[in-house]
Amino acid sequence: VIIMSSFSISMNKIVVAVKALLFCSLAFSAVQVYNFSQRGEDESRESRRSLSIDHGNGTCTWTPAVDLDNSTDPYGTLIAAYPSSGMRFVWQQVEGITGIAVQDDFFAISKDATKFGIVKTQYPHIEGIWSYGNNMDQVILLVRNFRWAFPSYHTLLSEINYAHTWEQAYNYLDNIFTQRPAFGEWVKFRDYLFDHEVKLWKWMIDFHMEGGTKYWEDLDFERNGQFPFS
């Protein structure tokens, strides 16, 4: 399920392209998502995430997706989802259709960094942070059945060795989509966190569909989700 939650009625070509992509992405099961484990040892992920310029007669030029020029005053689009809800598929297709690089809410964060254009996040879940300030004009919320998102989330966590920070997680990035956890690990995770995570899945929908409904107190440092910052 794909839900558009817009904070402005103005639209531009980027938004139209993204909406067209997301309509097509309903055919998720018919598309094979690239498996990073298939790449060569000397080949970076960035080199595989590329686009082609068709010159006709069967010839083309491969070019990577590029960051959006902030001087164009882009209509900010935030792609949000509970973990393991199809985010990777969507941002790969967004880049393929628009030629615009999708920014990560965690990656390249610094005091001087500004996030705009198209950004992906899992906020307010603990797997995402509010690093884009007020630069987003609309939200595309991806909703996957919790029956499938929850076990997929555990599989991803096991592949990154249950990392607690994004720095730790990046050390195991090449493991994703290559391993399966032991059944006993899944049972422990399911029994311990099912009630908690299904509430977070529900509250995430409420947060983005109700204009930022909070399910935590500002001083609750143990809540799932990080305090917004820009």
Side-chain angles (χ1 to χ4, degrees):
V1 178
I2 299 169
I3 301 172
M4 302 290 295
S5 178
S6 179
F7 301 111
S8 173
I9 60 173
S10 63
M11 305 294 288
N12 64 13
K13 292 187 293 183
I14 296 174
V15 177
V16 172
V18 171
K19 285 185 175 180
L21 152 79
L22 293 172
F23 177 80
C24 295
S25 71
L26 292 176
F28 182 95
S29 61
V31 179
Q32 179 180 1
V33 179
Y34 173 70
N35 188 336
F36 283 140
S37 66
Q38 297 173 354
R39 66 184 178 86
E41 293 183 358
D42 59 345
E43 187 176 12
S44 67
R45 297 179 195 80
E46 289 75 13
S47 68
R48 293 304 297 261
R49 287 163 37 193
S50 54
L51 311 169
S52 64
I53 299 175
D54 186 7
H55 298 297
N57 297 321
T59 62
C60 63
T61 300
W62 292 93
T63 58
V66 298
D67 291 333
L68 193 62
D69 184 357
N70 195 25
S71 65
T72 62
D73 190 24
Y75 191 87
T77 298
L78 183 69
I79 306 174
Y82 177 86
S84 299
S85 294
M87 179 72 78
R88 177 174 297 276
F89 167 80
V90 170
W91 71 252
Q92 287 177 335
Q93 299 304 310
V94 166
E95 290 189 347
I97 288 179
T98 66
I100 299 169
V102 176
Q103 299 188 63
D104 185 271
D105 54 354
F106 275 102
F107 189 68
I109 292 179
S110 70
K111 184 170 61 176
D112 300 322
T114 301
K115 294 185 179 294
F116 55 86
I118 307 174
V119 178
K120 64 182 179 72
T121 188
Q122 292 168 337
Y123 183 87
H125 195 278
I126 196 173
E127 302 295 352
I129 57 175
W130 188 304
S131 59
Y132 30 84
N134 60 355
N135 295 325
M136 300 294 106
D137 299 291
Q138 69 173 357
V139 174
I140 299 171
L141 178 62
L142 310 179
V143 181
R144 185 185 186 190
N145 191 322
F146 185 75
R147 162 67 179 83
W148 305 110
F150 183 53
S152 295
Y153 176 37
H154 173 253
T155 297
L156 178 61
L157 288 176
S158 69
E159 289 175 320
I160 59 174
N161 199 32
Y162 301 94
H164 291 286
T165 67
W166 71 268
E167 294 94 343
Q168 293 172 340
Y170 268 69
N171 292 330
Y172 298 95
L173 197 59
D174 288 337
N175 291 345
I176 59 176
F177 307 129
T178 66
Q179 304 174 7
R180 288 293 180 268
F183 181 72
E185 293 179 358
W186 154 243
V187 170
K188 291 178 182 178
F189 180 85
R190 179 199 65 191
D191 293 349
Y192 185 70
L193 289 175
F194 178 87
D195 291 343
H196 178 66
E197 288 293 332
V198 76
K199 289 178 182 178
L200 293 177
W201 179 85
K202 176 188 69 175
W203 289 336
M204 183 166 197
I205 298 174
D206 291 343
F207 178 86
H208 288 288
M209 295 304 296
E210 297 178 358
T213 300
K214 293 173 62 176
Y215 55 83
W216 65 88
E217 298 292 335
D218 287 342
L219 296 180
D220 181 9
F221 298 107
E222 297 301 322
R223 71 177 182 82
N224 227 348
Q226 301 297 323
F227 188 78
F229 67 94
S230 61

